[in-house]
Amino acid sequence: MSRKTSAVVHSVKKLLHEASKLTVVDVSRETLQYPWRKEISVTPDILKPALSREIRRGVVYPINGESLKLRQLCGLKPEPPHGQCSRKALKSKLVLLKVCRVLDALALKEDGGFLY
Amino acid sequence: MKRRYGFFPGCVMPAKWPWAEKAILLTAKRLGLNFDYLRDTVCCARPGVWKVLDKNGWIALTSYNLALAREQEVALVDSCNGCWLSHFEVNELLRDNPALLAKVNEYLSTIGKFYDGSVEVKHWLQILNEDVGLKEIQELVKRPLRLRVVRHVGCHARKLGDDVLPRYFDEILEALGVEIIDTPYDRMCCGLLLFLADPQTSIKKRAGLKLKTANTLEVDAVVLTCSGCFDQFSRAITLLREEGDLPENPPILHLAELLALAFGFSPSDFGMIYNTTGNIAKLQAKLGK
């Protein structure tokens, strides 16, 4: 066994030992139920800034200048043809959130700002 | 007539992971699939956020995309586990509950849409494994990839149990000649949603721990299909590099990138060369290109 291989084996053993002491998420019980909810109490207020951005822009991550350039370099159309960032898509999303009273429930305005 | 697929890339992939999007399109064409974008979509309505905060709103938003897939006569395809979970779960809920479907159609009618529960929602892994088949994939492999990888299937992909999407993931990797290296953390969440509440734990004890494990095991890449997980891994890499806590790490790749490489495409054909999550040059050298 080379010195390098021996070092890797040692690190893996150490890793496995450390892993046995850590709590690894039990997928059968937890991951499908969003483990973070069990670890930290998340209130809607923590999420509101993120949600307000999402409502304002229509998506969690809009296409920006850098992504436009990267898309072209990858041989893709600059704006994704599925239209997720389009005005039409955003309008549909806002109408649905409005009829479902989601904006009221989260105290968010149509432009993504807070009601208070 | 060949089945038509409407691909929903979500919002992360077009903005942050375009080389993966391109690799999916290239390989779909090579596989002879009738595969195009689902058009005019809205956000998938993130299941980890919207479902928890407002189930009604989550169902209504997600139904919009299902209604579009019905109109466009396509099976809805997701590569992101979060998008897939939203579309899949809402579709199942609507199919099982006529009263809920009627309520959703009330909402959809305000924007001139209608849904009847008829759309098939499929994960991209299901298209490869169930509709194409491993044999056909193997036949298209021009260059078996002699790579050692850690794969992160993602927690939402375990929705149907370990014998469906996680097994498909492994079988496809093996069909490409890739060696899978198991780690003690394979089933652990990437920490994406935890980042909203506890960024330190999310980065250091979830994605960061997985990245350092991959380093220790000296693998060539960490492979995913989920855009949400990619977002979390790339964020963790940036933050840990800034802290000097992660001098190097293997690149984070979409399974479609490996598929494209195995099918004979070069990294520049789909923009893999712009991936800055890890040392792509090293990977290219190993591939002999």
Side-chain angles (χ1 to χ4, degrees):
Chain A
M1 191 182 288
S2 74
R3 207 168 151 183
K4 193 178 175 196
T5 313
S6 167
V8 171
V9 169
H10 178 72
S11 336
V12 172
K13 278 186 181 168
K14 193 175 160 204
L15 188 81
L16 289 168
H17 179 66
E18 281 172 10
S20 68
K21 291 188 291 185
L22 280 167
T23 306
V24 177
V25 175
D26 176 357
V27 69
S28 61
R29 291 190 301 108
E30 293 191 71
T31 53
L32 297 177
Q33 297 166 32
Y34 312 112
W36 53 280
R37 286 164 66 194
K38 298 199 170 189
E39 293 167 24
I40 311 279
S41 167
V42 179
T43 67
D45 284 339
I46 290 175
L47 295 173
K48 270 184 185 170
L51 290 177
S52 68
R53 273 196 306 276
E54 182 184 326
I55 287 168
R56 210 164 41 238
R57 306 182 302 199
V59 288
V60 183
Y61 292 106
I63 303 283
N64 60 21
E66 195 189 347
S67 13
L68 278 175
K69 197 176 155 196
L70 270 177
R71 291 182 63 75
Q72 283 174 311
L73 289 169
C74 293
L76 291 164
K77 288 181 181 169
E79 291 289 346
H82 67 308
Q84 204 179 338
C85 305
S86 71
R87 193 179 289 269
K88 184 181 166 190
L90 178 58
K91 194 177 167 194
S92 301
K93 181 172 181 172
L94 284 171
V95 171
L96 283 172
L97 290 174
K98 210 168 171 180
V99 294
C100 295
R101 300 184 183 280
V102 176
L103 297 178
D104 295 343
L106 295 175
L108 287 167
K109 290 198 292 185
E110 278 183 58
D111 63 1
F114 297 109
L115 283 175
Y116 49 84
Chain B
M1 190 177 154
K2 269 168 83 174
R3 176 187 270 174
R4 295 173 65 228
Y5 298 103
F7 177 45
F8 181 85
C11 60
V12 176
M13 187 177 277
K16 294 185 162 185
W17 212 9
W19 44 90
E21 185 181 331
K22 182 69 177 180
I24 287 176
L25 297 175
L26 279 180
T27 51
K29 197 172 176 188
R30 181 63 59 87
L31 289 163
L33 298 171
N34 195 345
F35 192 93
D36 203 349
Y37 292 97
L38 179 68
R39 296 182 308 277
D40 304 324
T41 58
V42 296
C43 181
C44 71
R46 290 182 284 172
V49 174
W50 287 99
K51 183 181 172 186
V52 180
L53 288 180
D54 193 300
K55 197 171 177 184
N56 216 24
W58 170 67
I59 292 171
L61 283 179
T62 306
S63 301
Y64 182 80
N65 290 335
L66 295 170
L68 290 175
R70 187 194 74 88
E71 270 179 12
Q72 294 168 31
E73 297 179 340
V74 292
L76 198 165
V77 183
D78 297 293
S79 158
C80 172
N81 296 341
C83 300
W84 172 75
L85 192 74
S86 266
H87 292 134
F88 177 82
E89 279 195 349
V90 167
N91 205 31
E92 294 296 301
L93 284 172
L94 296 177
R95 284 174 170 182
D96 292 345
N97 188 339
L100 182 65
L101 183 61
K103 187 74 193 162
V104 158
N105 275 314
E106 264 180 48
Y107 300 143
L108 290 176
S109 66
T110 59
I111 42 173
K113 297 290 172 200
F114 169 76
Y115 187 54
D116 58 3
S118 63
V119 166
E120 209 178 350
V121 174
K122 293 204 127 187
H123 195 287
W124 177 75
L125 290 168
Q126 289 176 298
I127 307 297
L128 293 178
N129 202 298
E130 294 170 3
D131 298 0
V132 176
L134 294 171
K135 192 167 168 273
E136 190 154 334
I137 290 173
Q138 267 170 329
E139 282 170 4
L140 288 169
V141 172
K142 289 185 177 168
R143 174 173 59 180
L145 306 175
R146 307 292 175 213
L147 300 174
R148 299 170 74 248
V149 307
V150 161
R151 51 42 181 130
H152 172 80
V153 181
C155 12
H156 294 329
R158 296 183 191 275
K159 165 83 183 167
L160 304 175
D162 282 356
D163 198 39
V164 186
L165 301 180
R167 175 169 66 83
Y168 293 175
F169 199 121
D170 284 2
E171 285 175 350
I172 296 161
L173 280 172
E174 282 159 2
L176 305 179
V178 172
E179 185 188 354
I180 300 165
I181 308 297
D182 292 323
T183 83
Y185 309 110
D186 285 341
R187 299 164 74 92
M188 193 171 75
C189 178
C190 67
L192 175 71
L193 293 167
L194 180 60
F195 189 80
L196 291 164
D198 183 352
Q200 283 292 318
T201 306
S202 155
I203 295 297
K204 298 204 164 160
K205 294 192 177 172
R206 293 292 184 267
L209 184 59
K210 282 171 173 271
L211 286 164
K212 287 179 180 176
T213 305
N215 266 348
T216 310
L217 296 169
E218 298 187 333
V219 294
D220 301 304
V222 175
V223 188
L224 328 165
T225 66
C226 177
S227 310
C229 298
F230 176 79
D231 183 35
Q232 167 71 355
F233 274 101
S234 55
R235 183 186 299 113
I237 289 167
T238 305
L239 295 175
L240 293 171
R241 277 182 192 166
E242 277 172 10
E243 289 179 10
D245 200 19
L246 192 71
E248 63 171 347
N249 60 274
I252 312 298
L253 303 182
H254 192 287
L255 177 56
E257 295 181 72
L258 292 184
L259 208 59
L261 292 171
F263 285 179
F265 292 103
S266 77
S268 55
D269 288 336
F270 53 96
M272 184 184 175
I273 48 175
Y274 304 109
N275 184 342
T276 55
T277 56
N279 193 338
I280 290 290
K282 195 172 166 186
L283 184 77
Q284 280 182 270
K286 179 145 186 191
L287 288 166
K289 247 314 203 195

